[in-house]
Amino acid sequence: MMGLPLAFGAPAILGALLALPLIWWLLKLTPPRPKYEVFPPLRILAGVLKREETPSKSPWWLTLLRMLMAAIVIFALADPVLNPRNATLSGDGPLLLVVDNSWATVGDWDRRVETATTLIGDAADRSLPVAILFTADQAQDATPGTPAVALEKLAAASPHPLRPDRTRTLEALRTSFASERPGTLAYIADGIARDPDDAFLANLATLSPAEFRLIENNGPTAIAITGANNGSDALSVTLSRLNATKARQVIVEAQDRQGRVIASGTADFAAGATEATGQIAAPFELRNDFARLSITGVASAGATYLLDDGFRRRKVALVSGDSGDGFQPLLSPLYYIERALGPYADVVKPGQTDLAVAIPEILKQNPSALVLADVGRLPADVYAPLQAWIERGGTLIRFAGPRLAAAAADDPLVPVMLRQGERALGGALSWAEPQPLADFPTFGPFAGMPKPQGILVKRQVLAEPSPDLAARTWASLADGTPLVTVQEKRAGRVVLFHVSAEATWSDLPISGTFVEMLRRIVQLTRVGAAQTDTAQSTAPALPPFRLLTERGALTAEARTARPLSLGPDRPQAATFDNPPGLYGTEDGFAALNLLPSGAELRPLASPAGLVIAREPMAGTAAVPLKPGLLSTAFLLLVLDSLIVLFMGGAFARLPKRAATAAVMALAFGLAAGMPSGQTFASDAKPGDEQILERLDNTHLAYVVTGEQDVDRLSEQGLQGLTDFLTYRTTLEPAPPVGVDITKDDLSFYPIIFWPISATAPMPSAAAISRIDAYMRAGGTVLFDTRDQISTLGNDSGPSANGERLQAILANIDIPPLEPVPSDHVLTRSFYLLQGFPGRYEGSPLWVEARQEAQSSNSGVASSGDGVTPIMITGNDLLGAWAVDANGASVLPVVPADEMQREMSFRSGVNIMMYMLTGNYKADQVHVPALLERLGQ
């Protein structure tokens, strides 16, 4: 447990804290509050007679405030420093820096470099030699040199996608420090033990350094994928982490060969747990496209797990020459095969027993392998398609039995020539004893498997001797007779087990060896006979194809990587010679990951009794607290002064507004004088400039529908009306704006034009609710269905735009509507009008009904200025007003009469004047009636 990172430059000054009781006694007194008297003057004179006064006690909270201020000043004068750095190094020998540059150091490598640079700088100040080496480098040299040389090595170093090789590091250290001991040994560790028996710290202590420092970061980013299992329903992923203090949820993404994320899942770490398991649920066809797994937000080689074709699930078809006995499943030819392949492949069976129909039906599904259990002679029509499937890359796996033993010797779908009949081992009529299995040969998929124990073969079919029989034999009995033979047929192969698939001929089907043999054969198959081949498992070694970088990316740079051996010496995890990546070619490759399957991230253990100084890494520089403390004391002094003035009644003699302004001015003055990082928050908010711009002038607004043509026409239409208003009236609107009714503030605009389009996205319920609120608050929306020309002579019902308008207004409580009456304010607010045409004419302009609205219960009604909250037309006003950059009309009017366009612009002027003046114009219309009522 590290102590508080706080030190004092002048700790002796802290003794002044003993004077706080005296300060308390001095500060608890305050002069009495002045007494004020009102006129008459004689009463004031009588009240100022000299009399003996006794001081009153200061409030306890004010005394406490002053005590706190005094304590802060004392602490500030003691010059406290947060995160002080211990710059002392032992002078008994050179500085030895051991730095982990493994995959787990990618996230904080800059801080590690900064820490090492600081230590080298301290050694340079004391003229000490420096030895530096990196545990994940293949070349290890711990010879002490100058600090300048150490800085050059540090600048050239970088993290590697490997685990640290601490054994090689220790050998280099013992060689370099055989005759001397280091002064300060600083180990900047990644915090992860290489294996459960990692005693690196204890081995470093055997170098007898004068000072041993362990610098680590507690591994906040050390998390890795340690395994993946492609199950029958989902992909199961195992993860491990180093820091288990808090619960954590991580997202695991599955990517294809192009790096696209095609599926994802989650894994939850419980508090205190270092391992977690997550699942990525996806169909096996999609899981077969997974090329690698990665942890979202973590870029390291450990957080990336590469997959090859050996991981992908195959589709294996099972066909039996005997339907079996349902009451005795253990005697079924497919019973043991199905259970052996179930965890590793998707097993399919034909829907019927007729092989002439069943096998072509199976081949249409393009399986990776086809298993024939005791099938003798196949139908003649099946051989051709079956051989073609094999040559495209399919694998035919056959098992012997009575039917195959009795079949003709010229069967083209057996890998070797067979003798007629079967060979019986043991029994009353046989001199031979049941035979065990021999060691597996060094070639083929069974290479490296341990010799089977306890398996005896009692019966088999024999192969005719041939020169190449040994090369075609993947497994044999102790007497040398073949047990499993193979024949390559272009891209595919035929494999024959010379025993039956059930336990009557041998013990093989009921052993674990049988499961492993079938799994390895299936891994040799292609994922679909027509797809590309995988890495050749029978090849002795594969060249590096794509290697993993320290940040989990694939690169074509092979660097010093050597070919990957696929035999029994194949490495289970990445090494210096074989870093993590893909080995093979574009046509097929094998994956080698950073960690072995099932690995667990464990903290680097410190032996009991070993004295090690644990330190954090650099990155948080030493921070002097003196300026901040003095600033705080000054603010408390100002606060104390304000309190004293308030208690003395200084603010009572000021007008209320003046007092408030004085306090605010003082507060802003304090904020301006405060140091950086302690200022008051500004009242300005994001978007204030736009709000001021909208309020500075009148803007015509239209609803952005999401359709580019409609929105461009709306902007051009309102621009044309803006120009007309500027030339013909005293109103000079600013350029029009498009509003997003889902998020923009609508209260800036007196009217919003909404061109209805049936093909535009339907507004959400929340957006319609915002329009409803805008209309209730006094705003007006002009809905233009633009369908007058399309509804002429059409009695079948509303147009598509009309139906869309009905859907929009269905959730708005609109008032009763009527066509604009001839005496309505809209007809004379600026021009005298008899209609409101646009590109078309004939559609009325609907507004709120004046008489009905007064008695309506609708929530949306005209506000106090008498302006209708809704207008509806179908004349396409915006289309008539639309102009281009040169001021020319964009769309023609129907019929082609420019006077109609002029009247359309006048309609727009009347609408805007009506929106901006409200009942002012209505009063002008009713002047004669008002005068008549006044008797004039």
Side-chain angles (χ1 to χ4, degrees), residues 422-671:
E422 60 193 54
R423 177 197 183 194
L425 303 174
L429 300 179
S430 175
W431 292 98
E433 296 292 334
Q435 292 289 313
L437 271 65
D439 292 335
F440 292 111
T442 56
F443 61 91
F446 308 145
M449 288 180 58
K451 180 181 179 179
Q453 300 294 331
I455 299 176
L456 295 177
V457 176
K458 303 183 254 332
R459 186 172 297 179
Q460 67 174 149
V461 291
L462 291 175
E464 291 286 353
S466 63
D468 60 346
L469 181 59
R472 294 188 182 185
T473 302
W474 280 353
S476 59
L477 302 182
D479 62 0
T481 56
L483 177 66
V484 180
T485 55
V486 63
Q487 181 185 16
E488 303 290 339
K489 290 183 175 290
R490 297 185 63 180
R493 62 180 61 86
V494 178
V495 181
L496 173 63
F497 282 77
H498 290 241
V499 293
S500 63
E502 28 76 28
T504 58
W505 284 27
S506 70
D507 301 329
L508 180 63
I510 59 176
S511 67
T513 302
F514 184 71
V515 177
E516 181 65 15
M517 293 172 71
L518 284 181
R519 186 186 70 83
R520 293 198 177 196
I521 294 176
V522 171
Q523 281 189 338
L524 290 179
T525 64
R526 305 180 178 209
V527 185
Q531 299 182 13
T532 58
D533 196 4
T534 63
Q536 298 178 359
S537 297
T538 58
L542 295 177
F545 173 53
R546 294 286 188 271
L547 297 183
L548 205 62
T549 66
E550 65 277 3
R551 295 191 174 275
L554 288 174
T555 178
E557 297 181 6
R559 299 189 287 270
T560 60
R562 296 183 179 181
L564 177 68
S565 174
L566 296 179
D569 297 332
R570 174 175 178 173
Q572 301 302 314
T575 62
F576 284 116
D577 294 334
N578 297 119
L582 303 176
Y583 291 80
T585 62
E586 182 71 29
D587 296 331
F589 45 78
L592 179 63
N593 287 293
L594 173 70
L595 301 175
S597 180
E600 182 180 356
L601 301 185
R602 297 182 177 88
L604 194 62
S606 177
L610 183 62
V611 179
I612 301 179
R614 294 180 177 268
E615 299 179 5
M617 289 193 301
T620 54
V623 179
L625 300 181
K626 183 176 181 179
L629 291 175
L630 290 178
S631 299
T632 304
F634 174 74
L635 293 177
L636 293 179
L637 177 62
V638 173
L639 179 61
D640 181 87
S641 302
L642 291 175
I643 293 173
V644 172
L645 291 176
F646 180 79
M647 294 177 62
F651 295 110
R653 288 171 289 179
L654 295 176
K656 184 176 181 181
R657 292 185 178 180
T660 304
V663 173
M664 292 182 63
L666 181 59
F668 280 113
L670 291 177

Side-chain angles (χ1 to χ4, degrees), residues 170-183:
L170 192 61
E171 294 175 356
L173 290 175
R174 287 174 176 170
T175 301
S176 300
F177 287 88
S179 58
E180 65 175 333
R181 70 171 191 165

Side-chain angles (χ1 to χ4, degrees), residues 230-233 262 282-290 312-315 346 348 365 527 531:
N230 198 359
S232 57
D233 298 325
I262 56 179
F284 86 93
E285 292 87 356
L286 184 61
R287 281 182 275 133
N288 281 347
D289 290 335
F290 292 175
R312 302 165 74 183
R313 291 182 67 87
R314 272 68 166 172
K315 183 186 296 183
D346 290 282
V348 296
Q365 302 181 35
V527 185
Q531 299 182 13

